[in-house]
Amino acid sequence: MTELYAIVLFLFVLFLLLGTGVWVGVALMGVAWVGMELFTSRPVGDTMITTIWATSSSWTLTALPLFIWMGEILYRTRLSEDMFRGLSPWLARLPGGLVHTNIVGCTVFAAVSGSSAATLTTVGKMSIPELRARKYPEHIVIGTLAGAATLGLMIPPSLALIVYGVAVNQSITELFFAGVLPGLVLALMFMGYVAAYSVISKGWAPTIETAMSFGDKLKNSRFLIPVICLILVVIGSMYTGIATATEAAAFGVIGSLILAAGQGSLNWNSFRESLMGATRTSAMIMLILAGAAFLKLSMGFTGLPRALADGIGALELSRFELLMALLVFYIILGMFLDGISSVVLTMAVVEPMVVEAGIDLIWFGIFVIVVVEMAQITPPIGFNLFVLQGMTGHEMGYIAKSALPMFMIMVLMCFVLIWFPDLALWLPENLRQGPQ
């Protein structure tokens, strides 16, 4: 009965604070404060200060602002234009044509950004005008961009995976490599949908691209060299053991500054804007993580996470049934909270359940990120939908409807991960056995 009272109290205070427009991080701290005051005799102020300091001073978290800064720098370069010029000759003749540049472009940029919003904005500002000019169906252009931009949450360096790793105390590097193959498979599933739609749809009649010789295609591919080099520096340095995730992030920042300088887009204003943008985003995420850590401690004192885990264990749910329950839970939660908030808000309760069920936390991280990706394109709070609304001028309903097929493909991807868990676990296990 005490646990039920605690659940109701926590939820009431949380939604009360969120409903008043309080920042998510502050709302989490407020809930934790109430819980500590009512259920423990420990000094709340001292406990909160200690917890916030321990979370904020974590060495693992130093990778977060660096990867965010790298994405901010690249956002202000001509990277999207160069990617379009390099990719379009190779993709134009595929079923679905240049729409594939949305998906492949987002996949490539996700590997140097880590942010879904940055990926969407950077690729979209170049691809939308080009695809509209070639008369591709508007709903396919918007839908694929909304869905593919979420790959920024899975393909390393992913900000969401850093946050998850810190929340459950797992290796950031292993989580990064766990996201590579599922991210590529999800991108291929998006491309498969586009190819199938282009064949089946009677309204598919874009402007046909002029044929280009193999030599010209190779010549245009030179525009991809900078971003490929940056990916190899960031990901390769981690895999070979040369650098930790934090050190790889530092390499990425240096590489992006060199790339921006080489393109002529690095000046004092762009440098300052990228630094301030990274500072604001990092501060927001750090505040959420600090609040979540305090809430996790507070809930631990009440015994709520263990009681819920024991209660679910008493239901004797199978591993599959538990995952389906969590899938529905995160989809519903994603309708009202952004991805990072969903992860940090729930891990205190969900982690004991997952461990009790014998589910690998590295694998579960990828599973959760796929579901969190759905939250980016789920109304009414889907952030990618808001970004696309500002870029295209369409109504929210039209954008959400356009993104629905991508949402369903992500649901299918969850089942693919359940059926083929090695898809997420093979690379991390190989990493453990490989160079250290």
Side-chain angles (χ1 to χ4, degrees), residues 170 306 322 350-361:
Q170 292 294 309
R306 176 53 56 189
L322 174 61
V350 171
E351 183 186 357
M353 302 180 196
V354 172
V355 173
E356 188 78 20
I359 297 172
D360 188 286
L361 284 175

Side-chain angles (χ1 to χ4, degrees), residues 368-387:
V368 166
I369 294 303
V370 175
V371 185
V372 162
E373 285 179 337
M374 301 179 200
Q376 299 293 107
I377 56 173
T378 306
I381 309 295
F383 188 70
N384 283 12
L385 303 182
F386 287 111
V387 175

Side-chain angles (χ1 to χ4, degrees), residues 221-272:
S221 297
R222 73 184 188 278
F223 294 109
L224 296 175
I225 292 175
V227 68
I228 291 173
C229 289
L230 192 58
I231 292 171
L232 290 176
V233 167
V234 174
I235 306 299
S237 63
M238 285 190 288
Y239 181 74
T240 57
I242 295 174
T244 64
T246 302
E247 292 162 346
F251 290 155
V253 170
I254 295 170
S256 60
L257 287 170
I258 293 172
L259 177 59
Q263 290 185 333
S265 53
L266 181 64
N267 53 49
W268 172 247
N269 283 336
S270 62
F271 179 84
R272 183 176 57 82

Side-chain angles (χ1 to χ4, degrees), residues 137 139-140 192-202 204:
H139 68 282
I140 290 293
Y193 165 75
V194 171
Y197 184 89
S198 70
V199 172
I200 296 171
S201 175
K202 296 180 180 179
W204 188 275

